[in-house]
Amino acid sequence: MRSITLAARYVWRKRGRTLSLLLILLVVATTTLTGLAVRDAASNAQRIIRQTLGGVFTLEQNEDDPANWTMQDIEGMGSKQVFAGKPITAGLCRTVMEQVDGIRGCDATTEQVLVPETADGAMLALIDDAAGTDAAMEQAFRADDFGNTVTVIGGTDTRFDANFAKGYLRLAEGDPVIDPDAVPDGDAARGAASEDGNGGDSADGDGVVGDVMIGRRLAELNGLRIGDTIVLRRATVHANMSGTTVERTRTPVRIVGLFDDTAKSSVLTSNWSMSNAMFTTMDVVDHARQGTAEEGFEKISFYVDDPARTADIVRQVQGLDALAGGDYAVSQDTSDADAVSGPLENLDGLVIALVVIALVAGTVILCLVLASRVKERMHESGVLLSLGFSRWSILGQYLVEALMVAVVAFALSIPVGALIGQAVGDRLLDLSDAGGAPVSDPGGDIVSKDGMAVVGGDGMSPVFLPNADMADLHVAIDGWTVAWLFGLGLALVVVSVGLAGIVLMRRRPKDILASMA
């Protein structure tokens, strides 16, 4: 108790020295606290990114197996190598979901280019968002209605379409497009679709074959709203090559949802950009291009509950009997998550180095300052020794003095750290940003039975850039961060006082008293 009283008196009496020590500890504490808060924010951002982008794997047809390819005569085109492997069906999606735990959803997709029209037969105006990468080809396409084709994705559940699940697109208005006969929870969806008169393969009373979701900007450009009907059909050149007529491919669909894009995409021509894309079901695509359902989906995307278990779930799926025979390839693609979280991972190492440097530098500076003061107070220590105080009690007084100042400095660092934490985090993230690369779904075209490429490669499918906003830091100082600060800070003070007190502890009381005389 006497040590605490003496310490309090000394701190108040030597206000100049107290203030200098307070400033030193405040700088060390603020640096440490900011570093801990930024690292915690980076960890949270990485977790969100892995949850959004990392917990996904795909099932595709095995194009690397030569047995899955064959030569076939294509009318008007001669012989051509076509893919003849086992098709991917919606039933395969259900089978995997039922036999493997930990999967929260899936979406089987196929992709085509079709011409969108109004119910009166007028082609829709398309958005030119400068997404095209080949101006010459874009100009050539405008010679006929092929230049008015858009990317049409036929799937089973847009809630788990890769573009929506990874945050590149978001549902802005209306409902998602769900095939009631394909998704695992199809019973509930089938009931809702039947009430609308729009379930199954057949068209409803208005001739509508199925549902479609389009971009909100595209809808506004053409004066369309949810509930309106548009028509999807094949381009004239595609219809002629397939031996059919454009009229036979006309497929009325009803708009049930509108989406917004949240990331920039690029593609071969702007008409195929994601701003003009449409999402529908396999029934609609097959109605517009007969034979698509027989060929099956191009791939299935599966999303897991826990991204950390993705690799283990992939191994379980690869071992299923339904996938035996080498007809399918299962892979985990982490390129999107790696591209976005790369700077955050670099930031983690940078922040750890910053905190370590702050703590080490703080310890060295405190040791030098406190050791100097211990020497200056050697006469005072001798007086206390003559009054019966032990060296340990004197060292304890020095420790109490430092801890009193440290507690105040640590408390002041909380509002200071909260004030500068976000700015420091953003600056460190800029320094650690290794840059992003375009994210795509690579792969060559698969030629279908009518000689047309049905799987979009890099040119046909929109290529998204990683959404940098997902890597934004939201720095906040919580209770755990403050607890870490006080724990590390108090340990630093104790070590510094102990090292500085060696000067006192190595001298015998008799020597100190003799030097006073």
Side-chain angles (χ1 to χ4, degrees):
M1 187 63 184
R2 292 182 61 187
S3 296
I4 297 176
T5 302
L6 292 173
R9 290 176 178 176
Y10 179 84
V11 169
W12 177 253
R13 187 174 69 253
K14 302 292 185 179
R15 288 187 287 275
R17 293 186 176 184
T18 299
L19 181 60
S20 63
L21 182 61
L22 177 67
L23 292 176
I24 294 173
L25 288 171
L26 179 60
V27 171
V28 174
T30 301
T31 304
T32 303
L33 180 64
T34 303
L36 293 173
V38 170
R39 185 169 186 260
D40 186 56
S43 298
N44 289 335
Q46 288 185 65
R47 177 181 54 79
I48 293 172
I49 289 171
R50 291 296 174 185
Q51 180 69 42
T52 305
L53 303 180
V56 58
F57 64 94
T58 58
L59 185 152
E60 300 174 281
Q61 292 170 314
N62 187 3
E63 302 174 45
D64 297 329
D65 188 351
N68 290 335
W69 294 86
T70 185
M71 296 300 296
Q72 186 170 337
D73 293 332
I74 305 298
E75 184 178 354
M77 298 180 61
S79 298
K80 195 167 186 177
Q81 190 177 39
V82 298
F83 188 80
K86 194 173 180 180
I88 295 176
T89 65
L92 190 59
C93 179
R94 289 196 301 270
T95 298
V96 174
M97 289 280 292
E98 292 169 355
Q99 296 186 15
V100 179
D101 294 329
I103 302 177
R104 60 188 174 94
C106 65
D107 179 47
T109 57
T110 186
E111 190 171 308
Q112 295 291 326
V113 290
L114 301 173
V115 178
E117 296 179 334
T118 65
D120 298 329
M123 286 186 287
L124 296 187
L126 302 182
I127 296 174
D128 186 358
D129 55 3
T133 59
D134 192 326
M137 183 167 291
E138 191 162 351
Q139 185 64 35
F141 283 174
R142 290 176 179 172
D144 54 27
D145 61 357
F146 188 71
N148 290 88
T149 56
V150 300
T151 302
V152 177
I153 301 173
T156 56
D157 191 344
T158 56
R159 295 173 301 177
F160 295 102
D161 176 86
N163 300 288
F164 288 90
K166 293 183 178 182
Y168 299 136
L169 303 178
R170 66 177 182 84
L171 180 63
E173 185 179 346
D175 300 316
V177 175
I178 302 175
D179 185 345
D181 297 317
V183 295
D185 55 344
D187 290 339
R190 183 179 296 109
S194 299
E195 291 177 1
D196 294 335
N198 206 14
D201 297 341
S202 59
D204 65 12
D206 297 328
V208 174
V209 176
D211 298 333
V212 69
M213 182 193 301
I214 68 174
R216 180 159 60 177
R217 286 195 298 154
L218 181 64
E220 292 174 349
L221 179 63
N222 291 275
L224 298 171
R225 299 179 301 175
I226 291 178
D228 289 347
T229 298
I230 61 174
V231 175
L232 300 177
R233 66 168 177 84
R234 298 198 76 180
T236 302
V237 62
H238 284 175
N240 293 340
M241 291 177 63
S242 301
T244 186
T245 64
V246 169
E247 189 63 30
R248 292 180 61 184
T249 68
R250 288 174 58 85
T251 307
V253 290
R254 180 178 291 112
I255 300 174
V256 297
L258 305 176
F259 66 83
D260 287 330
D261 47 358
T262 63
K264 182 176 178 56
S265 65
S266 64
V267 73
L268 191 64
T269 63
S270 61
N271 56 295
W272 289 343
S273 73
M274 192 53 70
S275 300
N276 296 312
M278 300 185 178
F279 294 84
T280 184
T281 62
M282 172 64 87
D283 293 338
V284 171
V285 175
D286 186 63
H287 189 278
R289 180 187 176 278
Q290 292 186 1
T292 305
E294 181 183 352
E295 293 167 0
F297 293 97
E298 295 161 11
K299 67 177 181 180
I300 305 176
S301 298
F302 294 92
Y303 295 84
V304 303
D305 294 316
D306 182 6
R309 293 192 57 225
T310 304
D312 178 60
I313 291 176
V314 167
R315 285 191 293 269
Q316 294 182 47
V317 172
Q318 290 172 333
L320 295 177
D321 294 337
L323 273 64
D327 293 310
Y328 307 109
V330 182
S331 61
Q332 179 186 2
D333 183 12
T334 62
S335 58
D336 289 32
D338 293 340
V340 178
S341 64
L344 293 173
E345 294 175 355
N346 296 336
L347 176 64
D348 189 66
L350 187 62
V351 170
I352 291 177
L354 177 66
V355 172
V356 171
I357 291 174
L359 291 175
V360 172
T363 302
V364 173
I365 294 173
L366 275 178
C367 285
L368 294 176
V369 171
L370 294 175
S372 174
R373 293 184 179 182
V374 169
K375 288 183 179 180
E376 293 174 359
R377 299 172 65 181
M378 196 62 68
H379 183 275
E380 176 186 341
S381 299
V383 172
L384 294 175
L385 287 171
S386 65
L387 294 175
F389 286 84
S390 67
R391 287 178 297 177
W392 284 106
S393 62
I394 297 174
L395 185 63
Q397 176 187 329
Y398 296 162
L399 177 60
V400 172
E401 293 170 3
L403 289 177
M404 286 181 175
V405 179
V407 169
V408 176
F410 296 162
L412 291 175
S413 70
I414 296 175
V416 175
L419 185 65
I420 68 173
Q422 187 64 54
V424 172
D426 292 340
R427 179 56 180 162
L428 290 175
L429 184 60
D430 290 339
L431 293 175
S432 63
D433 192 349
V439 178
S440 64
D441 189 10
D445 291 339
I446 295 181
V447 180
S448 67
K449 295 178 181 179
D450 61 5
M452 300 304 299
V454 298
V455 174
D458 292 337
M460 182 175 167
S461 298
V463 179
F464 277 106
L465 294 174
N467 191 346
D469 292 341
M470 297 183 69
D472 284 349
L473 291 177
H474 300 284
V475 181
I477 297 176
D478 55 18
W480 282 108
T481 307
V482 174
W484 271 104
L485 168 67
F486 273 81
L488 293 173
L490 293 178
L492 180 149
V493 171
V494 171
V495 171
S496 299
V497 172
L499 293 175
I502 293 177
V503 178
L504 173 65
M505 301 301 290
R506 291 180 62 183
R507 299 189 65 178
R508 296 179 300 175
K510 182 179 179 181
D511 296 336
I512 296 176
L513 294 174
S515 64
M516 290 176 58

